[in-house]
Amino acid sequence: MDKPEFMSDIEQKSASVQEHVDLRSRRSRRDIDAALHMLLLRRSYDAIRVSDIAKKAAVGRGTFYAHFDNKDELLRSQLEGVLDGHISVSADLPALLDATRLFSHLQEVPQMYQALMSGASGPAVSRMAQDILERRLNAILEARDGLPASLHGRFVSASLFTVLAWWSENGMQQTPSEMQSIFAELCTTAFTNKNL
């Protein structure tokens, strides 16, 4: 039996309303992401509150909380995007990953890196980023030479963030490619030199 014509109109209007809500939701989320990004260019992560992010995004706090439980969850989603987009992970790479694009990205926005890593929350932010990277590494690792895969992943992840910190502390004088080579050499040496 065919649907009455008015039911078809209601379904079309309902679909249109849902599409509008989805677009508005995506726009709000994009504005919230952009707000945190802009704020990190001017102040430390510790100094940013949810109300600052909501104000900068021109959304209410309720809208912020409809998308994220807290600012750490927002940061985690951004870190996942940055790390996924800027680090290639493969068991075929000498150091299991190529972070040249990440080095390049941080060289373009050093103040953002400083805003995240300075202050009381710096170690927690670093650990959050390492956890994200560890999960990606653990997905490709198998136990090698008696090493637990999760330890290998943690070592490589922590090593990358140690190299990033050193590079930042020393004025980012080396090119991103040079830093990737240094990182790969350190990791390769650590896993091939039995005297270490």
Side-chain angles (χ1 to χ4, degrees):
M1 184 173 199
D2 291 337
K3 291 182 185 178
E5 192 174 310
F6 74 90
M7 287 299 288
S8 180
D9 289 344
I10 291 172
E11 288 172 349
Q12 286 177 346
K13 287 179 185 176
S14 177
S16 177
V17 168
Q18 183 60 42
E19 184 177 318
H20 177 73
V21 169
D22 291 344
L23 285 172
R24 191 173 62 188
S25 179
R26 283 194 303 269
R27 185 174 43 243
S28 293
R29 189 176 178 107
R30 183 191 66 228
D31 291 346
I32 291 167
D33 280 338
L36 179 59
H37 180 90
M38 288 185 284
L39 289 167
L40 285 170
L41 293 173
R42 294 198 315 261
R43 53 179 125 146
S44 74
Y45 181 70
D46 285 340
I48 298 171
R49 300 178 315 235
V50 168
S51 59
D52 300 324
I53 299 167
K55 182 178 178 182
K56 188 72 169 171
V59 299
R61 286 172 57 98
T63 299
F64 177 92
Y65 287 116
H67 293 280
F68 303 100
D69 289 337
N70 52 49
K71 75 174 187 174
D72 290 343
E73 185 180 323
L74 167 60
L75 178 62
R76 177 176 284 281
S77 77
Q78 289 193 353
L79 288 174
E80 286 172 348
V82 167
L83 295 177
D84 287 349
H86 292 86
I87 295 178
S88 300
V89 174
S90 171
D92 297 330
L93 293 168
L96 300 177
L97 57 87
D98 183 345
T100 306
R101 290 183 314 228
L102 180 64
F103 286 114
S104 186
H105 175 68
L106 295 179
Q107 196 171 43
E108 293 169 6
V109 288
Q111 67 275 29
M112 187 174 297
Y113 178 78
Q114 291 300 323
L116 288 169
M117 298 304 167
S118 64
S121 63
V125 170
S126 181
R127 187 69 211 137
M128 183 187 300
Q130 288 178 45
D131 286 343
I132 293 165
L133 186 53
E134 278 178 45
R135 278 197 313 277
R136 289 186 62 203
L137 288 166
N138 290 344
I140 64 157
L141 284 170
E142 295 176 11
R144 296 180 185 185
D145 301 327
L147 291 174
S150 62
L151 175 58
H152 194 168
R154 180 167 290 186
F155 175 84
V156 172
S157 176
S159 297
L160 175 62
F161 285 93
T162 298
V163 168
L164 286 170
W166 176 88
W167 189 49
S168 176
E169 291 163 6
N170 288 281
M172 296 184 172
Q173 296 176 16
Q174 297 80 5
T175 68
S177 294
E178 289 171 333
M179 288 310 300
Q180 174 60 31
S181 294
I182 291 168
F183 168 69
E185 185 175 339
L186 287 169
C187 286
T188 302
T189 300
F191 283 105
T192 57
N193 189 341
K194 301 296 184 189
N195 295 324
L196 290 180

